Amino acid sequence: MEFRLAKKSDAKRLLEIYKPYVEKTAITFEYEVPTIAEFEKRIEKIGSRYPYIVAIENDKIIGYAYAGVYRERAAYDWVVELSIYLDENERQHGAGSALYQKLLTALSALTCITYPNPASVAFHKKFGFEQIGLFPKAGYKFEQWYGIVWLERSLQTTDKVTAIKLLTDLSENELEKILAN
């Protein structure tokens, strides 16, 4: 499996992966599948600041993961929200774990999971996430209410604050190390 940063030209394939999550699950609370143009904008916006990583196997993108803004205010700059999506045929093959490991290399993170979803909660707990909140009826989709569970993993071990390092601040060498197998 290889990893690289997502490109605008990946939007069509990423949207193919994302589409079943919108149409068949409450994993995303998005009701309508975005257009390719909208997905291109998302890749550019997120990728200009945070890692947006694709996993490739046999020359095909099989999944992607990214870190995104948790909240817009500066006080939240040290916290990101993580998202991961895998091709329906690639679950349980290690791609999700590998993608998450790449993101967690240098991030403090929050993740929001549709509830109930014991498999996703267990997946995150194996990476050291702890549940910090539950909103029992946070989203309505497919004629029913779903909750969301918030989990947190902090990589900061002291109270001393260090400046955040954006994706654009990383050298080519640092990026290669993060994405290396």
Side-chain angles (χ1 to χ4, degrees), residues 19-46:
K19 183 179 177 179
Y21 289 92
V22 175
E23 294 179 338
K24 300 177 188 176
T25 78
I27 288 172
T28 173
F29 283 167
E30 199 155 15
Y31 278 33
E32 302 294 327
V33 177
T35 65
I36 291 175
E38 172 59 30
F39 234 67
E40 288 173 343
K41 288 177 190 173
R42 292 179 188 187
I43 292 167
E44 283 186 320
K45 182 178 179 183
I46 294 165

Side-chain angles (χ1 to χ4, degrees), residues 3 5 12 14 21 25 27 31 36 38-39 50 58-59 65 72 75 79-80 84-85 89 105 108 145-146 152 156 164:
F3 302 92
L5 295 178
K12 182 176 187 267
L14 300 187
Y21 289 92
T25 78
I27 288 172
Y31 278 33
I36 291 175
E38 172 59 30
F39 234 67
Y50 297 109
N58 299 321
D59 296 322
E72 293 293 332
V79 180
V80 294
I84 184 169
Y85 296 96
N89 301 313
T105 300
S108 175
W145 285 102
Y146 291 92
E152 173 185 48
Q156 301 222 358
I164 60 168

Side-chain angles (χ1 to χ4, degrees), residues 84-147:
I84 184 169
Y85 296 96
L86 297 174
D87 183 290
E88 290 178 298
N89 301 313
E90 297 298 332
R91 295 183 192 140
Q92 305 296 319
H93 297 145
S97 294
L99 279 165
Y100 244 45
Q101 194 58 53
K102 300 298 178 197
L103 284 177
L104 294 173
T105 300
L107 297 173
S108 175
L110 288 177
T111 189
C112 178
I113 301 168
T114 303
Y115 176 83
N117 191 340
S120 188
V121 171
F123 174 82
H124 287 83
K125 285 188 175 186
K126 94 176 174 184
F127 285 99
F129 282 83
E130 295 179 12
Q131 184 173 327
I132 58 170
L134 169 65
F135 298 86
K137 291 184 176 182
Y140 187 78
K141 189 172 179 180
F142 303 129
E143 307 293 321
Q144 70 181 57
W145 285 102
Y146 291 92

